[in-house]
Structures are given as structure tokens and as C-alpha cells.
Amino acid sequence: MSDIETPVTVRITVDGQPVDARPGELVIDAAERAGVYIPRFCYHPRMKPVGMCRMCLVEIDAGRGAALQPSCMIPVSPDMTVVTDSERTRKAQEGVLEFLLINHPLDCPVCDKGGECPLQDQTVAYGPGESRFVEEKRHYEKPIPISGLVQLDRERCILCDRCTRFAKDVAGDPLIHFQGRGSSTEVNTFPDEPFSSYFSGNTVQICPVGALTASSYRFRARPWDLEETSSTCRTCSVGCSVTVQSSRNEVLRQNGVDNDAVNWGWLCDRGRFDMESGRSDVRLTDPLVGGTTARWSDALGAAVAAIRATIEAHGPSSVALLGGARLTNEAAYAWARLAKGVIGTDDVDCQLGDGLPADLVLGLPRATIADACTPKGTIVLVGPDVKEELPVLYLRLRHAVVEDGATLVELGHGRTGLSRYAARTSYAHPGGDLVERARLVAKDLDESGPITVVFGRTSLAEDPAVLAEVAAIFLAKGARFLPALRRGNVFGALDAGLAPGLLPGRRLLDDAGPATAVWGSTPAAIGRDATAILTAAAAGEVKVLLLVGADPVADGPDRALAETALERATVIAVDTFLTESGTRADVVLPAAGPSEVDGTVTNLEGRVQRVNRKVTPPGTARPDWMIAVELADRLGVEFPQDPDALLAELGAVADGYADVASALDRNPDGVLVTGACPLPATPTARRAPAPSGSTLRLVLTDSLYDAATQTAQSPSLAPLAPGTVARLNPADASALRVEAGTVVSLASARGAVDLPVVVDDGVPAGAVAVAANQPDCQVNRLLDATWPVTDVRLEVRR
Amino acid sequence: MARLEPANVEIAHEIISRYPRPKSALIPLLHLAQEQDGWVSDEAMVHIAELVGCTPAEVIGTCSFYEMFKREPVGRYLVNVCTNIACQLLGAEDLLHHAERTLGVRAGTTTPDGLFTVEDVECIAACTEAPCLTVNYRYFYKVGPSDFDAIIADLRAGRRPTRCAAEPGEDGEIPAHGTLHRVRQSIPGDRRAGNADPDTAGEPAWLGAGGAS
Amino acid sequence: MTEETVVAAGPPPIVRIVTQRFDHPDSHTLDRYVATGGYEALRKALAGSPGAVVDEVKSSNLLGRGGAGFPAGTKWGFTPPGVWPRYLVVNGDESEPGTYKDRQLMERDPHQLIEGCLLACYAAGLSQCFLYVRGEMALAQERVAKALNEAYAAGFVGRNILGSSFSVDIVLHWGAGAYIVGEETALIESLEGNRGMPRLKPPFFPAAIGLYGKPTIVNNVETLSNLPWIVANGADAYKQYGSETSPGTRMFALSGHVKRPGVYEVQHGVTTFRDLLYSPQFCGGIRDDNRLKMFIPGGGSAPWFFEEQLDLPLEARPVGAAGSMLGSGAIVVMDHTTDAVKACLRVVRFYARESCGKCTPCREGTNWLETILQRIVDGHGRPSDLDKLLDIGDNISPGPYPAASWTDGGLDAVPFPPRQTTICPLGPSSVAPVVSALRRFRPEFEAKITKRSVNIPLHVEREGTRV
Ligand SMILES: Cc1cc2nc3c(=O)[nH]c(=O)nc-3n(C[C@H](O)[C@H](O)[C@H](O)COP(=O)(O)O)c2cc1C
Ligand code: SF4
Ligand code: FES
């Protein structure tokens, strides 16, 4: 023990009251915790203070006499005296507000921020009664779009540096910047270079005036017309906390909420704006049977008839279920019980052949985001481009590296959004030496701090068994794993048992335990995964295919297989939109979307959070859980009749979920479900054939904006899909004599697509990187999901 | 009006190499672009962003802060008349008006022939020689109206201005706007001590050898 | 060197330290520098320990010449122990209105500055030096560049200087026109390639966290130019000149309505304003033997002085106690023909144009002050404007603003420095002319407002003022 112990609290005085502050805490925060709110504009608790606006000036005496100091910049010190309500403080704050207002246009009646504007509010509370400014105000062109999503009104801007600091320090995209100097300082982008950040919407949220507004929200509502509820974003598996705001039964806005464990208040633009799809005109509103509108009872009847007849004729495993990663936990549970407990099939998979083996995901020791971001810890990224697929996790990891001294090591098939922060990158040729490289990387890891592997598919065109081998290597180093699967509630679905060989609560089928007691029975044998299900359907073995929020044709890795499977099987699709797969379905059941159901979701850490209904679904669309309950009912089994009861039953069969409901009432940041299933034996991946000189190996990745239904149906986001390009290493480009923009044909043994070339030294030589599921190109025509890798021949189109 | 030319790219790399962090070279590189084109074009800023590893928005953020960088073309000769207090006291405002009248432009604008841009500037550190002005940052002291006319006449005629007690620069010339100086620092490779990298540099050798600090 | 004789009732004898070579037309060359004892201090220092140089400079009590007047040797001692590397940033951004000395030192004796940088680096263990020259000073940049090239070639700068283990690069860097960059934290931002916006200090001063987050000594050109003489001749020799608290000499630029404007190096602390303004060795009096109306004692940021302050010595403490500062050694003299309102507007306008824009009170307040003053000068003033000016000033710089005592009005001095609601002193500097002018010359403002009189002559236009 050292002689000097760091005190846990620093005693200061705020307005005469003693306050116990944390060491290093800023005066503005210490005062706020003690109930004294100091007005502010530039200070934001998740960003480094700059002390620009001077609104938070208070009298601080740290032993050398009281002086006006910005409380957002001054850390507490023992015996400090802070006075926030003196005449001097009041005059300074009034002065700052007067200064801020002299050039402010005061166009509050037509400003989106009016009614929830810190400038308005603080003017009322701390401002001068009248303005003494009689001269001409500063003028700028009224709102200019700085991106497709965000508009900037420079007249309203008070130059607080929040958006610009966010862009640079939080998002790492310094694309908006102060320009000019002094009173002609403005925020702007470089000419003709938009603020194309995946996180631009956050600047709208943190702008303390109406300078930055979201194009999608402009003039749509006044704040006092909005009703709101807290919820959880379901766009990806990070599970950011949000508030959902609606007016007249339309969701108009979704803002980030500061959840210390997860998103720190931030959202990505996809998560923020894809609520637009909820009010789309082309939402499914009524069931379809054989392509024509039907009544619910007829559609459910048709579905049940098909299921019952098939079970009777061919046994339960002639019925299979794909999907469920988009559901709430309650719905996922209801569907899992329907498939496994009622129908009796284990041919169930919530992933579409683009994920990881479920038992591997549920068997690895799990890390939280905070574990991964431990200061001075080590993060190993073996997986997708986190910036594209789990954007707010990208923000957290970036922060850990840039601000907290974590070390990032990246293993994969080419440059990702995080590569520039990596201490070491090691890019393998797909199908090549990823395992070998993992060994080398593991050998050099600093084991003095925690090691977290952010773990997912490095390419959708490569056998994931390779990753199981990689996992084993880091497991031996004592690493924990943060699984990087993308789909919204895929982890809730896995926990509910929507995967072959699994039952709710991360239990293996042969360890049925409480499920048998509650359900009566569980499937006898381990079922097929998505690829095997589709193969079986294509072969006529699976006869009824339930698609629950799944679109294997567009969104699966193997389009041809999915097409054949859907052609041969009787397809019952549950979805919010008519997807490509849905158009091939015999029965389509319209489902409620996000913000239209109550329940819980589970994020990639295993953290359960609530989602809450804000609006009612369009037409006759129903919550997914209700559809499962109705089907079960018609199959003769009574399920719990509401989300709370379903969650309670989930708790009864899955240990980790036992007290979740009451725990959630106590912990608004969510409740972590722990526990793991036994880890499967490490398979040996099928070795890929050696690449031939004349072909390129395909690396298939996801990008943030794609043709996924909610994104494609959100008018703000749809245009942002980057489109499909073939990214080539410069060496390959010059060997093949192609240059940027050349249109080439990529042909595999399966199919061919035409794409323009982009030359990118972040792609390993001998590989071609392509984004999956873009609206302009069916790249999944190239793949056979059973191949260990996909090789393509490149030809220049003339 | 473009990216830096190859010879300038070479100079740029040399300049960048003198700093522990490439972005430190931003202002010198903007001067280099201005020397090449007479002003700083968007293309040049994009190129500089690539050279120092930041975004064009960051480059324009810096560029637009500093008065000397012109983001639109200016005249061949930038005539900066100081009107700050010391010069004002000795007639700077009249000098500025005289300049505006004789050249037929308002301060901040350029003559139609593209030769002269007049600016009303802050103190240029020649206060004891008021009123004073600079042409492309070469000084002219105690400038009366007739002195001004003579300077302009000389420049129009392509002559070196001789009329004033001036300090025109090492070579006595007034090169076109953008060429700030004609002598560049060059550090011979074998004499170079090397950058002190903020992340890795340790205690300097001579302290260990010579004594405490 | 100069003979020391006590002259009764006159200014102390002229001593030239930093300007000693100025009379040589080739003072900027290496040849002249070496021929006049240049780089001998460096040799002497290298023969001894760095600590010996620190001791000498500390003992000389050399005060910084950039404006704040902080003792140079003490500043070196503020670097945290064991944190490397440390940098030297030379502040050659001279832009304070009225200031004209650093440019001369760079143009006329660049080697003296280079040697000063080397001594500082050697003494304080500074591993790299950046010499930041104001962008507009083309000749200074050329002269410093040339001198550096000569010094590198001759082995005075760079690797293993003069065969020793002392190695340091001096990198010439240049600005691009922004007064605020002279403020040391803005200077560091600018040197990092950013907008020159000051950083808040405290909590961290550059000596602890500066360039690239590392300990950084920022020194003014004139400060460093003193080092070769001090090291060569010793602190004791230095302390023979000037006063005890302000030893040595200091350069002052005298401009405005004096007979012989110029830059004079005088003994610090013992010479008075009256000496500078009236002694025939210096300015020789007010032009046309006019009456003195006011003078700015230390650059545009300094509150104004009047006749009452003429006998103050050129020393920080008494000048501060009298309500102003010596600042950057810039004295601007205004005779009775000067329009106080216009002069005030002109100085305010400077700060409005040069505000970096970071702090609300400075960005908006300086501009507002300028707009109101311009309106008054244009004949559209309102009676309420005057109190408004003072109140806006109070919102930038709260509490009684420093001002000189004034016998006629019976007002006492409010000591310098002012308080501020801003990050750096630029904003509060804009209040200096407002308070100074309004306190002393309020009737002139009132006359402008009530009589719409816009024609108080500012100066007499003269042809051929060339000397
Ligand atoms: C607004 C402002 C402008 C300044 N301008 C200069 C300047 O042009 N040159 C200078 O040397 N110091 C200037 N200073 C002072 C510097 O911040 C710093 O105190 C000085 O460079 C330290 O050097 P010294 O200790 O050698 O005096 C300025 C300060 C302020 C607040
Ligand atoms: S006081 Fe003015 S110049 Fe100084 S930091 Fe603030 S805005 Fe910038
Ligand atoms: S909130 Fe502290 S200065 Fe802006």
C-alpha cells in the first residue's frame, strides 16, 4: 500500500452546500449530480470539453480567490467553492446569452427545434429580458443540405463545436469543420463533399439550437405534439437505447438515449432513420393467400392445413422454419415452441447461412462491450467490418483505442473501418492461412490485460468452420468473445432456441430439461441448418417452409438454392413487407414492425432490453408473437397470450431469463443474461482448393446501407446504398488490365454478374471484394453455400 | 489551378519530413500551393489533405482561418495598406483612399487587368515607418500619395520600385503573388539531427552527457 | 561596450545588447556574426553543463519580451521531470498593433536568434526547435532561412553541433496571417496544422502539455536574442543594466505623433516614458511640439496612459499598478489633434477582425463594440450607446476594467490585468480602448452623438513625409 491513498471523494461546496465529488470530475457534472444545473451549450458529457460557449461560467474559488471560470473545463479540487447564483455569475451568463442572440435569427416559430431548444430554454431561465442589439444581423443562405440526411442553417448556429467535435472525435469523420474566423466563423463541409458519415444524425440530436435538422423530420411536427416512449433499436444486434417519438400514430423521430453500457447516446443513421419504413405505403396490411388478399382466419387456416397435412404425411421434419432474428424475444420464443414443441421439427434456423454455428456462438465465453473496451486491454477483431455492420460498436471500439489506450489487432481479408486504428493488421487470402495468421497474432498478444475477440464472419463466401479453429486459438489465450452477428435480435432468437440442436436458454437438445416439462416434448434428433434446410427443400424433402421475417432469396448467400427451395416447398411467410421471398410464398401473413410491439430483445452481449410499442401496426398486421400463438392454437396447443406471459414462460424454461422482467424494472440499462452451452468440438474446416492462377477469390461483405427491407423502404436511406462494385488490389487490377470504372463480369461455376471495378489496396492480392445484398446486383447468384470458398473469373465487358 | 505539380510534391514531402506529425506541414503546404497558382484552389486543398493524411474539410478549416490564403484568384500584386492605429495616426486612411481612387477599386477587390488587389490590413510591424504598405509582402515605408503612384507605375512597367525606403526582399524583386520568399530552408541530410517523435523520443543525449536539467 | 556615465536629469545611457550589430549593413550574415563574437556563447555553453546555462539565465532574471514578462529561466524549470521530448517554439508572430522589434531582430540579426535558440535547447533539454515566423514577413523568413542554411553548413545547428553530443534541428515554420496565433497555445495549435484557436489554460500550460501534447517552451524572439550575450558575458554583467527587477535592456517601438519615431533599445526598468518620448536621444518630443493627448504604453491591448503616467519607469510592476502594461514594447503616441473616438474604434476594430471566434463574448462582443463605435463615428450614435459600450465591455471583461489614474477627474488607477469571461486575453483587450477613451474623453463621444460632429481632424495630411 502506498502512503498516500487516493480519496474516493473530493469535498467541495456548491452554493453553500457541501458536495461529494468524484476525483477528476468536472465542476459542471459534480454540481449537476448535487442537483445544481449549470447552463451550457458546448459541453456534452460524452465529448471532451472545449470551453467555447462560456455559458457555464460560475464563480470558482480553488484557493486563489473567486473568479469566473467555465465549470465544464475545471476539475474539482479539495475545498473548492463554487457559486452558481451570484450577481457576477448571473451577469456573465446573461451577457453570454445576449451575445449568442444578437446574431441569432429568432425564427423560432418555423424552427424544428422550437419548444425543445436549449437556447430558448436557457434564454428564458438565464437570459436578459430584452435585446439591446439594434444593428443588422449576420446573414447566410438558409438551410443548405450538408448530406442527404442533414440540413444546416448557419444563421442559427451558435458555434458550440458539438457537431464538429462529434464528427472528428467520436465518429472519426472530420467532414464538417469550422471555416473562416471570428464573427464570420461558420460550420460547413468542404465544397461538394457532403457530410457522408454513418453517424451524421447524432449531430442533429446534439445541436443545442436548430442549426442542424434532419431532412426527414423537417416541419413534420412540433415537439409538444410528440409522444414518446423509450425502446431499443432493432436494426442491428448492438441494441442501442432510443426514444421513439410519434405524432398521430406515425413514428416521426428516433433519438439516442445515453445507455452507459451500450451506446452512450449515439445511434447510427440506419438505426435512426429506418423507422421511416414504418410509415411506408407498401407495408403489408392484409394476409395474402395465393397472392390475393385474404382474411386472417382463412390465411391462418390455409397455413395450418398445409402444416398439419405435411406432418401427417411426411413427419415433423418435413416442416422447417427459417428466420426469427428480427423478432422480439417473446415472439422468438413463441415461434421456437411452435416449431420444436408443437410441430416437432428441429429444422429451425434464425440465421441464413451467413452467420456462425449457434452452439459455437452460445458456447464461447461472452464479453460485454465494456469488457472489450477495457482501457489498455486488447481487442482482436476477427470478423466483419464493424463500422458497416455494427456501427455503434465501432464507435465504442474506436473510442477504446483512440482515447483509452486499448490495443486493436485485426485479422481478416482486407481493410475495414477500424483498420486505421489497429496496432497490427494481418490480411489473409480467403480460404488461405487465416488460422495460421491467428496463431502468429495470438503468440504476440499482451496478456497482462483482458483480451476480447470481436468475432464474426470475415467473408460470407467462406466456410465459417475456419472461424471455429480461430476461436480455439484465442480461447487458449483466455480470451472472451463478443460475437459480431448483425441481424437485429439474432441473439434473442438464439437464446430462444431458434437454431438446430438448441433449446431455449442456451441448452442443447439432448439436455432438454425444463423445456420438456413445459412443452411436453422436444424434437428427437438434431435438425438441419439453413443451408441444409434449403437444400432439403430443393430436394423435395422439406415440404413446408415457414419464413419468419426472412428473405433467403435476396438476403441469403445462395440465391439459386433459395429460389429452387421456395419453388418446390409450400411457403408461409410472415413479414412486414412483401420481400422477394414473400412474392414466392403461398401464404403471407402481415406482421407488426418495430415500434409496433412490446417485448424484449437481447443484444450481442446477452443484454436484455425492452422494446415498447408506440404506434399501431397498419391495416390488420399483427405482432409476430400473436401469429405464432394463433397457429399453435389452431394446432391444438394453448400458448401464453401476451408478451409478459411469454417472457415469464421463457424464464421458466431458460435459466438466464428467469427474473428478467423484474430485473429490467430496476435496471434501465438492461439485464445481462449469462451462461453458455457446452462448446462443440472444434471442427476442421474443409480446406479450400489452392487458388488457380486465373481466378480471383471472392470476399463477400455487408455494407451499412443495403437492400434490406427496412432500409430500402426508408426514403432517406434508400439512396445511400453504395451499389455493388468489384474491389481489386492494384496489383491484380494492373495484371488484369482493368482500371477504376471498368465494367467487368464476375463469373463463378454458379452464375455471373456485371460490376464496375474499384481499385483498392485494402483488398488482398488475388481476391475480389464485393458487397452483398445491394439493390442493383444479385451477387448471391455467384455462390453455392456448400462451397468452402468461391472463386470467380473476371472478364472485361465490352 | 490544380493539384501540386511534381516538383512541388517533392518539396512538399521534404517539408513534411521536418515535422514529427505530417499535419504540422499544412500551412507551409498551403503557401506552396499559393506559390504555384497564386491562390489556393479546392483541388490543391484536396491534394494537400492526401499528402498530410487528413480530410479536405480539415484543410479548408485551417486554410480559411488565415488571412494570407486566398481561395479565389487575386491580382498579380497584392497591395496591403496598413490602417492600424500607428499608421492611421499618420495618414493611412488617406493613403488607402488614394490607392482605391487611383486604382479604381474598393479595398478587397482587384483591378480589371488583374494586376492589383488592394487590401485594408491590420498592423504589419513597421509602425515607426508609418504610413506603410506591402506589395506581395515586400515593405514600403512612409508612403505618401506620390510615392504610391510611383510604386504602381514601376510595377505596371515591370520595373523594380525604387522610390521608397523599402525592404523588398533578399533579391530586391517583387515576384508574383504567392511567392512569399525565394530562399528556402534546406537541411542537408548529413547534418540533420532528426525529428523528436512525441511518442518515442527519450531524454536528449547531451543531458545524460553534460549534466542535469 | 558602451561607456557608463551617470548623466543627471537625463535618460540612462544607451546600452545595446540585442541591436549591437544593427549598424552593420551585413549584420545578418554569418561572417559578420562570427566576426563580432557570434557563436562564442554556444562554444562556451557546450564546454560546460546544460545546468550551468540554466543557472546563468535564471540568475540574469531575463524577463520574457512577448508580453507577459515571465522570467525565462523559471519557465524552463516548469517542464515536468522525466517527460520527453520537450520542444522549443519560437514566437516570431509579432502582430500586436504598434509592435516592431522581432521583425528587426529576425531580419537584421538572425544568427543571434539562432544561437539563442540553441542555448535554450541545450540548457532545457529541448529536442527540436520550431521557429514560427509571422507569415507576412517575407524578408525575415528569407534571412532566417539563409542564416539557418549557413549555420547548418557551418556545423552550428543539426547533428552533433560543434562535434559535441548536442544535436537539434531548428525548423523554420511560417504563419499565414492571424494575430491570435501569437498567443502561445494558439501558436501551438497553428504549428500542429490547425486553426489558431487558443487552448484553455489552466489546467495545462504549454511547459507541461504543449506541442503534440509534450512539454513545450514558447519564447519570444527578443527573449531568445538576449541569451547569447548573457551566456557570453555572464548574468552579473547583464544585471549591471536596467533595474533590479527588470535587468538588461529592452526594445521599444515608438510610433505615432513623435518627432523621431523608431525602435530604441534602452535600459529596462530605469528609463521612463518621458525619456523615450521627449529625450533628444530618442523621439525628441511630440511632432510640431503639439500637446500629448494619450499614449498606448504596451501595444494595442494596453489601456491608455496620459501625461500623468509619463514619469513611470519602463518596468512591469509600476506600470501594471498604474493600470496598464508594457506588453510587447510598443508605444503609440497621440497628440492633441487625435480624434479619441476614431482611435478607439480603430483599435477595437483590430480585435474584432482578429478574434479567433472561439469564445462567445469575444466573437460577438468585439464585433458589437465595433458596430456601435462605427455608428457613433458615422454620426448615428445614440445617447444610450455609451453605457451600452461599457456594459458590453463588462460582459467580456467583468468588474472594474484597468485604467490609469487621472488627476483632473480624481479617478484612481485600477491595476492591470483585467478579468475575463473568455479563454484568452484577446477579447478583454478590445475593452481597453473603450474604457480608456470613455473614461477620459467621454465629452468627445457625447459631442459626436449630440452634434453629429464627425469632423474632428485625425491628422494633418502631409505630402512627402518620407525621411
Ligand atoms: C492575443 C495575444 C497575442 C500575442 N502575440 C504575441 C506575439 O505576437 N509575439 C509574442 O512573442 N508573444 C505574443 N503573445 C504572448 C505569448 O502568448 C507568450 O506569452 C510569449 O510568446 C512567451 O514568450 P516570452 O516568455 O519569451 O515572452 C501574445 C499573447 C496574446 C494573449
Ligand atoms: S478571447 Fe477571443 S481570441 Fe481569445 S480564444 Fe476567445 S475568441 Fe479566441
Ligand atoms: S458549456 Fe462550458 S464553455 Fe460551453
Side-chain angles (χ1 to χ4, degrees), chain C residues 180 198 354-359 362-363 422-424 426-428:
Chain C
I180 186 59
E354 296 297 340
S355 164
C356 81
K358 192 167 181 177
C359 319
C362 173
R363 180 183 68 238
T422 53
I423 291 175
C424 90
L426 186 149

Side-chain angles (χ1 to χ4, degrees), chain A residues 28 39-43 51-56 70-73:
Chain A
I28 197 169
R40 75 221 34 199
F41 292 108
C42 64
Y43 179 65
M52 280 188 76
C53 75
R54 320 303 288 174
M55 188 64 213
C56 69
S71 54
C72 72
M73 295 289 289

